[in-house]
Amino acid sequence: MSTQELYLLVVGLVVVLLAILLVPVYRNRHHSSAPGLLIVIIGGIAYSTGLGLTESVTTPQQWTYAANVVVLGTTLSIVGYVLLIADHTNVVKTTRKTLLIAAVYPVTFQLAFWTNSIHHLAWDPYEAITPAAITGPHEAAGILVWVHATIGYSLVLIALVLALREAVRSSGRRRTQSLALFATAFPPAFFYLLSDLDLTTINLAPIGGLAQAFALIWVLFYANFLNVIPAARYRAVERMTDSFVTIDTAGRVIDSNPASRELSVSGPDWEQTLIEEFFQNSPRQPTQIADADTVAFETEFAGERQFDVTSSPVFAPDGTLEAHQMVLREITARVNREKELHESRERYRSLFENSPIVLWELDLSAVMKEVETIAEEATDLTAYFENHPDEYERVLQLVDVLKLNQNALEAYNASSKEELAKRYPEIQTSESLETNSQLVQQLLEGNNHFRAETTYRTLDDELRHERIEVTIPQTAGDDYSRVLLASIDVTDSKTYE
């Protein structure tokens, strides 16, 4: 077997293998990078086919046609790789409009190359071409071929810069992904240069293209990089102030952002670290963090830090669970405020409960609503209620006792708070009727404070003289749902008088 026959056999094998690679690309056609990879593979098939034809044709015209197919394969491979990198780095998303714009480059040059017989700017005239003596298309190239080569290498260089920039700006799994895509450009580019610079008598670019296609498929689909970390979402996550962590089904960290790594003690080797070893002073049962609502970390300088956990499962196209993505939003300030509020309420409750004076917390909303209706017809509420005792009793029943303190039980000889609250109307007297009428009148007029002296009866029918003060804590609006009534027993001083 001659060297030419062996070369044609290798090129044919490359074409077959590239065609087989179309199968996994089709299976992953839902992937945003699939169109770019498809174009790369089709370009590799066209390039290898055209290159094989240039080695087997005998006429100058056939040779130029085969060379045109080589150029088509080159431009398609370049366009596909650039689209793939642009999609990966989120510079340009692969859409129909993007594909149409990208098609301008190969279509324009194909029109120019297939009309070479008119202008001879792509290839030498037929009479100057001897297929058997040419080792590569570049030996018969005109100015358009070199323009095409310049544009092609420039586009590849731009794609490499984008991939390298993404690698520098990212970290962990994303950096590995970007570097892998960056490296896939070198096998075909290296062999293209060897051929263009006449450094080898055999054009090995098809093998480089095959290696690139295998590497791209592995990086995009089987290494499972992009399924876990889409480009646009990654960039947002990388800049977010909340901690972001992705763990696989074995509980190992496969992605994290700078905010989460501030809580980590793993250093630069955090990837593939178990979640319980990733966080500094990790919480109890850290492997269950994906199922937690909140977690707490003890830090050296900031003390305990509280985080709200939002976990989302990541599924493969076949429905199997691949990972958990978690966002840890710090809620330390909120938790501290809630704690302070709880402590404040506890202090208030303690002061209320242990106060040496009688304290009531009343809801007078229903009372005031009814009194407003009565006040539309009666100008003197005291006289109205004296003349309508049944109406007064009905309004009195509308008082809702929300809370009372321990001292109230002792003052009115009640056995329980529930009993005293239920029998609140029974402690009223004829004098307290007048006081209550004055109170609601003051509240109707917009006053939030009321003071008076009146009498009440204990549950065992003893008369008590009391000095009362009524306060509405709210400073705006007619809200009577939390009215505080405080009273001091002045029976002894009244008896003395």
Side-chain angles (χ1 to χ4, degrees):
M1 181 181 293
S2 66
T3 303
Q4 183 185 28
E5 290 174 337
L6 180 61
Y7 180 73
L8 290 176
L9 180 63
V10 171
V11 169
L13 181 62
V14 169
V15 171
V16 172
L17 291 175
L18 286 173
I20 293 174
L21 290 180
L22 292 173
V23 175
V25 176
Y26 177 78
R27 288 176 180 170
N28 293 273
R29 60 189 180 277
H30 64 279
H31 202 292
S32 63
S33 296
L37 183 53
L38 178 65
I39 296 172
V40 169
I41 294 176
I42 293 174
I45 293 173
Y47 181 87
S48 300
T49 301
L51 199 60
L53 290 174
T54 61
E55 294 292 329
S56 57
V57 298
T58 57
T59 67
Q61 187 176 16
Q62 292 173 340
W63 186 92
T64 56
Y65 291 165
N68 289 344
V69 176
V70 172
V71 173
L72 174 63
T74 305
T75 54
L76 288 177
S77 296
I78 292 172
V79 166
Y81 182 73
V82 172
L83 286 174
L84 192 151
I85 296 297
D87 180 84
H88 166 71
T89 57
N90 203 39
V91 173
V92 177
K93 303 308 292 182
T94 305
T95 62
R96 289 185 179 180
K97 183 178 180 181
T98 305
L99 293 174
L100 288 174
I101 295 173
V104 172
Y105 170 45
V107 169
T108 301
F109 275 94
Q110 283 300 296
L111 289 175
F113 278 61
W114 286 94
T115 57
N116 181 67
S117 59
I118 301 174
H119 50 72
H120 300 297
L121 295 176
W123 309 111
D124 293 339
Y126 293 146
E127 58 270 17
I129 298 177
T130 304
I134 296 177
T135 59
H138 63 282
E139 292 188 2
I143 187 171
L144 282 181
V145 173
W146 299 111
V147 171
H148 148 72
T150 302
I151 294 176
Y153 282 119
S154 299
L155 289 174
V156 171
L157 181 61
I158 292 172
L160 290 174
V161 170
L162 290 175
L164 188 60
R165 185 187 69 169
E166 190 70 16
V168 171
R169 293 166 57 181
S170 59
S171 61
R173 182 63 59 92
R174 179 68 176 182
R175 176 173 291 174
T176 303
Q177 177 187 14
S178 300
L179 289 175
L181 292 176
F182 174 83
T184 57
F186 288 94
F190 175 73
F191 289 121
Y192 284 145
L193 281 173
L194 287 181
S195 176
D196 288 347
L197 298 176
D198 288 329
L199 297 178
T200 178
T201 57
I202 300 177
N203 191 334
L204 300 176
I207 298 176
L210 180 63
Q212 180 190 43
F214 270 108
L216 287 173
I217 288 176
W218 179 80
V219 170
L220 296 178
F221 304 141
Y222 297 105
N224 201 30
F225 287 147
L226 290 182
N227 287 343
V228 177
I229 318 167
R233 187 173 183 276
Y234 173 83
R235 185 160 290 126
V237 166
E238 190 71 8
R239 296 173 182 174
M240 68 191 299
T241 56
D242 295 327
S243 299
F244 174 86
V245 178
T246 301
I247 60 173
D248 60 18
T249 53
R252 296 184 181 275
V253 178
I254 59 177
D255 185 38
S256 67
N257 69 346
S260 66
R261 292 193 289 275
E262 289 180 4
L263 298 171
S264 174
V265 292
S266 302
D269 300 324
W270 56 266
E271 194 172 356
Q272 294 300 318
T273 302
L274 289 172
I275 187 68
E276 60 264 32
E277 299 172 2
F278 176 80
F279 286 115
Q280 179 182 17
N281 300 312
S282 58
R284 296 175 184 174
Q285 297 179 317
T287 54
Q288 303 299 318
I289 189 173
D291 302 321
D293 294 323
T294 60
V295 293
F297 299 96
E298 280 291 339
T299 59
E300 182 177 356
F301 300 105
E304 186 177 82
R305 296 175 64 183
Q306 301 276 347
F307 292 85
D308 177 72
V309 180
T310 302
S311 176
S312 300
V314 178
F315 295 99
D318 61 1
T320 58
L321 179 66
E322 289 189 329
H324 282 279
Q325 292 180 331
M326 293 172 293
V327 176
L328 283 73
R329 176 162 297 172
E330 184 162 11
I331 56 172
T332 305
R334 190 187 78 189
V335 170
N336 288 340
R337 287 195 299 270
E338 291 176 351
K339 184 179 179 181
E340 291 172 359
L341 180 60
H342 176 73
E343 291 174 351
S344 177
R345 287 173 176 170
E346 285 298 309
R347 285 195 298 270
Y348 170 79
R349 188 193 65 79
S350 178
L351 290 172
F352 183 92
E353 187 66 27
N354 300 309
S355 174
I357 62 176
V358 174
L359 292 176
W360 303 77
E361 190 173 302
L362 309 174
D363 182 358
L364 301 183
S365 302
V367 171
M368 295 306 297
K369 184 177 181 181
E370 188 66 27
V371 169
E372 286 174 358
T373 303
I374 295 173
E376 292 177 359
E377 300 178 359
T379 56
D380 188 341
L381 292 175
T382 301
Y384 177 84
F385 286 130
E386 287 177 347
N387 295 328
H388 302 81
D390 293 340
E391 190 70 7
Y392 175 69
E393 289 295 330
R394 185 180 67 82
V395 172
L396 199 58
Q397 292 291 338
L398 298 176
V399 176
D400 185 8
V401 179
L402 302 177
K403 192 185 301 183
L404 53 94
N405 67 352
Q406 184 65 30
N407 198 35
L409 298 183
E410 300 171 0
Y412 296 101
N413 296 324
S415 60
S416 67
K417 292 181 179 181
E418 291 74 16
E419 180 192 20
L420 183 56
K422 185 177 181 180
R423 299 176 65 180
Y424 176 77
E426 297 180 26
I427 70 172
Q428 306 298 321
T429 65
S430 58
E431 188 175 352
S432 68
L433 181 152
E434 181 179 356
T435 304
N436 291 336
S437 300
Q438 294 173 357
L439 167 62
V440 294
Q441 185 65 50
Q442 290 290 315
L443 296 180
L444 285 175
E445 294 175 1
N447 296 318
N448 291 336
H449 293 86
F450 175 77
R451 292 178 181 175
E453 287 190 6
T454 189
T455 59
Y456 293 105
R457 289 193 180 277
T458 65
L459 296 184
D460 52 5
D461 206 32
E462 291 184 5
L463 189 67
R464 281 172 53 92
H465 291 269
E466 297 188 21
R467 183 179 294 115
I468 68 169
E469 182 169 349
V470 179
T471 304
I472 300 179
Q474 288 77 11
T475 58
D478 298 330
D479 185 0
Y480 306 105
S481 61
R482 288 290 186 273
V483 177
L484 184 64
L485 188 154
S487 66
I488 300 175
D489 184 11
V490 293
T491 303
D492 290 343
S493 60
K494 284 294 183 181
T495 302
Y496 177 78
E497 291 176 1

